[in-house]
Amino acid sequence: EVIKAEGISKSYKVYETRSSGFLASWRRKYLVKKVLDKVSFSVQSGEIVALLGRNGSGKSTLIKILTGIMYPDSGTATVLGFDPWKERMKLAFDIGVVLGAHTQINWNLPAYDTFEFMRKIYKIPKTTFNRNLRYFVNLLDLRRVYRKPARTMSLGEQMKCNFVASMLHMPKIVFLDEPTIGIDVISKAQLKKAMLDMRSRYGTTFFLTTHIVEDISIADRILILHEGHMAFDGTARELSRMFGDKRILEIKFRPGAQIDLGIGKVLYKGFDMARLEVNGKQIKTKRFAEFLANSKITDYSVSELGLNELITRLYNKLEG
């Protein structure tokens, strides 16, 4: 276990004003908002774990606690054997942090200058630095850009350089908060490839928060926070089993044709296509085969519930 959290709780004191104007600051009503409520989980070495949750569910607060930026009101946590908020300086040399909304790259300088700055902060030997830099430049296709001023880079190139700046000391655990927000498809794919390659070569552990399903696809496990509680901890397969063996049947039929769709739950019906939810066992029955043999149906496909659908259903279930 490289990360272990037990009973982590955190509250914020917030206020609302009951009036406007000069006297409003003296008429505040203070409220205590519990952001994390007895959150417990663990992460094994080399795992890629995705932390999900709606805005305000406590994801970023949990990341800040595990990296030592904040301390909890109660509960305990260890990261690589360190207490993150008591031994923050020691822990910093073994972890990497990538915040998608905040870059370390100076707008007016080449990314290489930031890399050199990080080398000195982490006291990386020059030979090790050069070897690591070559590895990341080749892995993320940065040969043509990392010596140019950051303002001339695309958002995807900036994000990849920001990632490299946090990786040059080869951290054992990497915390990523929305690492692919707003970047193009190719850059997203390259960042995911880099994470998988680092895990394979160096056993790096990744702990990421995201709203993007493509990022979740590389995760070994999914954690879902809901209103400060850990609502789910398991694999995508285990999440799927929570809703039974369901499949999505999409059919195309002759435009305007009338077809009895009683074979399953209708999710969508259009002029020449329909989308239905059917039971997994049902697709092996004679009735299902006869349904698809209808001459009005021109094409069909059967698939499992996607992650987007599963996560949406879990949120709906949690909210009653």
Side-chain angles (χ1 to χ4, degrees):
E1 293 176 340
V2 291
I3 301 175
K4 186 171 181 63
E6 294 184 341
I8 295 291
S9 296
K10 182 67 178 178
S11 298
Y12 293 125
K13 191 175 184 180
V14 296
Y15 67 87
E16 58 183 23
T17 55
R18 298 182 177 181
S19 61
S20 59
F22 178 73
L23 296 177
S25 12
W26 280 274
R27 296 173 179 170
R28 294 174 176 175
K29 179 182 179 182
Y30 286 91
L31 303 170
V32 175
K33 180 182 179 183
K34 184 158 271 191
V35 182
L36 296 173
D37 190 7
K38 298 178 181 178
V39 171
S40 300
F41 66 96
S42 62
V43 176
Q44 304 297 318
S45 178
E47 272 193 303
I48 298 177
V49 176
L51 176 66
L52 312 182
R54 290 189 165 183
N55 292 335
S57 62
K59 303 187 302 298
S60 295
T61 299
L62 183 58
I63 289 276
K64 290 173 183 176
I65 288 173
L66 293 176
T67 54
I69 297 172
M70 298 177 65
Y71 59 87
D73 298 332
S74 61
T76 61
T78 56
V79 179
L80 296 170
F82 296 107
D83 184 318
W85 50 91
K86 292 180 181 178
E87 301 174 283
R88 182 181 176 189
M89 292 299 292
K90 295 178 182 178
L91 178 63
F93 283 86
D94 285 326
I95 65 172
V97 181
V98 180
L99 305 177
H102 305 280
T103 181
Q104 302 179 79
I105 307 299
N106 188 294
W107 183 249
N108 294 307
L109 297 176
Y112 182 79
D113 288 15
T114 301
F115 299 160
E116 272 287 347
F117 180 63
M118 301 306 287
R119 177 180 76 82
K120 293 176 181 178
I121 285 180
Y122 287 103
K123 302 175 183 177
I124 307 170
K126 190 68 174 179
T127 53
T128 303
F129 170 79
N130 289 335
R131 183 184 67 239
N132 293 349
L133 182 58
R134 282 195 302 271
Y135 167 69
F136 287 112
V137 166
N138 291 329
L139 187 62
L140 291 168
D141 192 24
L142 293 171
R143 289 178 297 278
R144 298 180 181 179
V145 299
Y146 78 102
R147 290 186 180 273
K148 298 187 332 187
R151 65 176 181 271
T152 66
M153 298 179 189
S154 68
L155 181 59
E157 290 167 345
Q158 290 178 38
M159 188 62 72
K160 287 189 290 183
C161 287
N162 190 43
F163 179 85
V164 174
S166 297
M167 299 299 113
L168 286 167
H169 62 296
M170 287 301 181
K172 296 174 183 176
I173 302 179
V174 181
F175 295 91
L176 307 103
D177 193 3
E178 301 285 356
T180 62
I181 188 168
I183 66 174
D184 59 273
V185 174
I186 294 175
S187 295
K188 284 181 186 179
Q190 289 174 329
L191 282 172
K192 288 192 291 183
K193 176 186 173 184
M195 292 166 62
L196 292 170
D197 195 83
M198 288 180 69
R199 193 259 292 271
S200 176
R201 288 175 182 260
Y202 306 108
T204 312
T205 303
F206 289 92
F207 190 87
L208 69 148
T209 72
T210 184
H211 289 289
I212 301 169
V213 171
E214 292 89 338
D215 296 346
I216 304 167
S217 64
I218 66 170
D220 304 304
R221 270 171 59 218
I222 299 170
L223 307 178
I224 298 180
L225 279 175
H226 180 70
E227 295 181 351
H229 297 273
M230 188 62 73
F232 178 79
D233 180 353
T235 64
R237 175 65 65 183
E238 289 168 338
L239 180 60
S240 177
R241 287 175 186 160
M242 287 181 65
F243 301 98
D245 185 13
K246 304 294 184 182
R247 307 295 171 86
I248 300 298
L249 169 66
E250 289 191 359
I251 60 170
K252 291 184 178 180
F253 44 83
R254 294 175 185 170
Q258 297 298 313
I259 296 179
D260 179 8
L261 300 177
I263 194 76
K265 178 182 177 182
V266 179
L267 302 177
Y268 170 79
K269 185 178 185 301
F271 185 63
D272 61 353
M273 70 163 294
R275 192 167 183 261
L276 300 91
E277 179 186 298
V278 297
N279 192 289
K281 295 180 180 179
Q282 194 174 3
I283 64 177
K284 300 178 182 179
T285 63
K286 181 180 178 182
R287 183 188 174 204
F288 190 78
E290 290 174 346
F291 172 78
L292 295 178
N294 189 324
S295 60
K296 297 176 183 178
I297 295 177
T298 59
D299 197 8
Y300 72 92
S301 66
V302 180
S303 61
E304 295 183 346
L305 293 177
L307 269 174
N308 255 335
E309 181 70 25
L310 291 170
I311 293 166
T312 300
R313 291 189 181 197
L314 179 60
Y315 286 155
N316 291 338
K317 180 180 178 181
L318 291 170
E319 293 172 1

